[in-house]
Amino acid sequence: MKRILILSLILVIAAASLVACGRNRESATPEPVASTGDLPESAMQIASSRGLTPNDINAALKTYMPSGKWDEYYLFASGGHSGQVIVIGVPSMRILKNIAVFTPEAWQGYGYGSRESEEILNGGNVDGRKIRMGDTHHPALSETAGDYDGQYLFINDKNSARVAVIDLRDFETKQIVKDPNIISNHGSTFVTPDTEYIVQGTQYATPLGWEYAPIEEYAEKYRGVITFWAFDREKGRIDPSQSFAMEVPPYWQDLCDSGKLASDGWAFCNSFNTEMATGGIEKGNPPFEAGVSQRDMDYLHIFNWKKAAEVYKAGKTEEINGMPVISIETSVAEGLLYFAPEPKSPHGVDVTPDGKYMVVAGKLDPQVTIYAIDKIEAAIAAKQWELDPFGIPILDFDAVKHAQVELGLGPLHTQFDNKGFAYTSLFLDSAVAKWTVGGDDPASWQLVEKTPVQYNIGHLSAAEGDTVSPDGGYLVALNKWAVDRFAPVGPLLPQNEQLIDISGEHMQVLYDMPMGVGEPHYAQMIKADKIQAWNSYPEVGWDPLTQSKSPHATMLGEERIERNGNQVEVFMTSVRSHLTPEHVELKKGDHVVWHITNVETAQDAVHGFQLGGYNISLSIEPGETVSFEIDADQDGTYAYYCTEFCSALHLEMMGYMLIEP
Ligand code: K7E
Ligand code: CUA
């Protein structure tokens, strides 16, 4: 009886998953299973010998991706401390790529000599200091009319307040910008519905420009900013010359989200230190964790960014460290900034797909609080407010609060599906709560069910879950602790990314995926067919930094070494299976600029390049031209070679750099 049950489960699910795979390569595979009789006896043996339940088999089939078949979604996950973005296929949870962003990465030739990558990384230098790590938190896909368009990805670095731009044609980082006024950031990156701006907010307040001021002068001198980085879609770059910031009180702003549809033009950011606690437990002061949690309410910051952009364009700003900043006074006078009280230590704020409601989750409050944009706009019109010490209007809580839903302990972040449900992570409960996104009637907002996750969930990510039209189907829980989920690997454990099926009536955990490179705070999941990635660069001699043909492109037969005094320029090509020239003869004291063009156009025909003793590692992808510079300051005989096993004669793909004393 049980055997029949398992077999029919396999059959039903196998049929369903075949329908689900749309974008797959043709291959000469055997006929799909059509009846239980087609199933091999061994399937039953595997199931019984491994003690699999029907649920396990269900989960296995839903995530199984046969060789050569592609996943339905890409998950772009923050790589946390690695300073990278991890690209994962859903539902298989196979890692497709780690994109180097804030941290050098040798395989991709990022930050190991290539002029292009050094220029990008140097964009994130702080006061001239090279910062070569990151604490990435929130990836954001570019949007058109509130939907992911698959063109660009942005991600922030919390520790040094930087934002990076990744081009999804080649999955490479193109730009890092450093906010000139803050050193600590968290509320980023969040895009406005047409990616006009990328929103970035301060976390820990400092004097603007992170200059010195005694902590006793906190209320007077310390501030935060919410920066609106303008994005030039045509150039694929943030344009700092069109960007502006808004000064905010030192309330430790946290997560943000942009309004959409009904709330288009607004942006929302939490805060959690309206106490303006300054810590100093060693001086007998209340510690931060107590000082910051004294008040029952903090403030949801509500920004009218469309109006703020006009105020900026009208020049009503003050330039601070080269960034035009709208002062608090101007924001108040122009009606750009309002507060709404929000219960205890809020963390996430997430706007519903229709843009009508903002969901705020307080870490120390078991309920989520839902605000309605029409109520916010009405309270502003009716001036239902009192003023905070900085003169900013605090809207009446009862006037703007729409509903509250008790979900459980430690609610943090919320995502949405296509059936009118919201999913909120419960950090302390280690669970995901599913609840209804109601309507005008506050009683229509209700908890539906909870499912345990393992363990201490932070963010969660649903398929297209931040857009105006979420897909539903899949949800990934980004858990901080794995504890007992995987074979032991010493005291530093991986985090656990859990795939959850949300297509049915009840949530089901399908798969545990260890993330062993850093803490994946947030991720966004996009339908795979929206990504139009290049197979090779469009033209031989391509410079991925400018996304155009490099002036140093070298075609076959044009290889040469040019010398002008002690300035040497090498024009090299790489093709299976040789690097030309094979001898680079230099004199001690030469300054060398070295260009390599991969003249191949075949997909996957990548050549790497490393130069012994000189800390050079490059990836030269089909069609790409890469440049690096060295000072030949040590005479000797050095070998350079291709680092990708590109052909049968790959080991012969080498050359000598000879530096004559
Ligand atoms: Cu909750 Cu940085 Cu979005 Cu971590 S943050 S979880
Ligand atoms: Cu080219 Cu190995």
Side-chain angles (χ1 to χ4, degrees), residues 606-607 642 644-646 650 653:
V606 176
H607 302 288
C642 172
E644 293 273 344
F645 209 113
C646 54
H650 150 80
M653 197 170 169

Side-chain angles (χ1 to χ4, degrees), residues 23 71-74 149-150 464 526-532:
R23 192 178 175 232
D71 280 297
E72 207 181 338
Y73 288 92
Y74 288 92
D149 54 40
E464 307 246 332
I526 180 174
K527 198 80 201 287
D529 60 13
K530 287 186 176 178
I531 303 280
Q532 304 293 323

Side-chain angles (χ1 to χ4, degrees), residues 193-235:
D194 278 307
T195 322
E196 302 96 326
Y197 292 102
I198 299 143
V199 183
Q200 180 207 260
T202 311
Q203 181 111 84
Y204 305 120
T206 55
L208 296 188
W210 60 95
E211 271 145 34
Y212 174 77
I215 195 85
E216 289 72 26
E217 296 174 9
Y218 186 84
E220 195 186 315
K221 295 214 171 136
Y222 287 48
R223 290 292 178 273
V225 290
I226 304 297
T227 302
F228 292 84
W229 290 109
F231 186 61
D232 183 334
R233 195 187 283 265
E234 210 151 289
K235 293 206 178 95

Side-chain angles (χ1 to χ4, degrees), residues 228-369:
F228 292 84
W229 290 109
F231 186 61
D232 183 334
R233 195 187 283 265
E234 210 151 289
K235 293 206 178 95
R237 297 290 184 280
I238 286 171
D239 183 353
S241 77
Q242 299 297 314
S243 305
F244 66 96
M246 297 176 72
E247 181 196 12
V248 288
Y251 290 168
W252 292 8
Q253 288 71 31
D254 204 19
L255 276 282
C256 303
D257 201 3
S258 295
K260 53 187 117 168
L261 298 176
S263 51
D264 191 12
W266 295 96
F268 308 90
C269 300
N270 285 319
S271 62
F272 62 99
N273 185 15
T274 50
E275 293 85 352
M276 294 196 281
T278 53
I281 189 172
E282 67 286 353
K283 298 175 188 161
N285 299 330
F288 274 120
E289 67 202 80
V292 168
S293 316
Q294 291 165 56
R295 303 184 60 206
D296 281 337
M297 294 285 187
D298 291 289
Y299 303 136
L300 176 67
H301 294 34
I302 303 165
F303 299 92
N304 189 332
W305 67 260
K306 280 207 173 151
K307 218 166 157 188
E310 286 165 23
V311 167
Y312 152 64
K313 282 172 187 156
K316 296 178 197 171
T317 54
E318 186 190 335
E319 190 151 308
I320 305 177
N321 297 312
M323 174 71 84
V325 179
I326 301 175
S327 68
I328 292 176
E329 295 70 36
T330 304
S331 282
V332 171
E334 301 279 343
L336 310 180
L337 172 60
Y338 302 91
F339 288 159
E342 47 184 5
K344 282 193 127 13
S345 294
H347 187 49
V349 50
D350 296 280
V351 177
T352 54
D354 60 11
K356 288 184 179 170
Y357 305 101
M358 292 79 234
V359 178
V360 169
K363 300 171 299 236
L364 303 178
D365 185 0
Q367 41 188 6
V368 286
T369 302

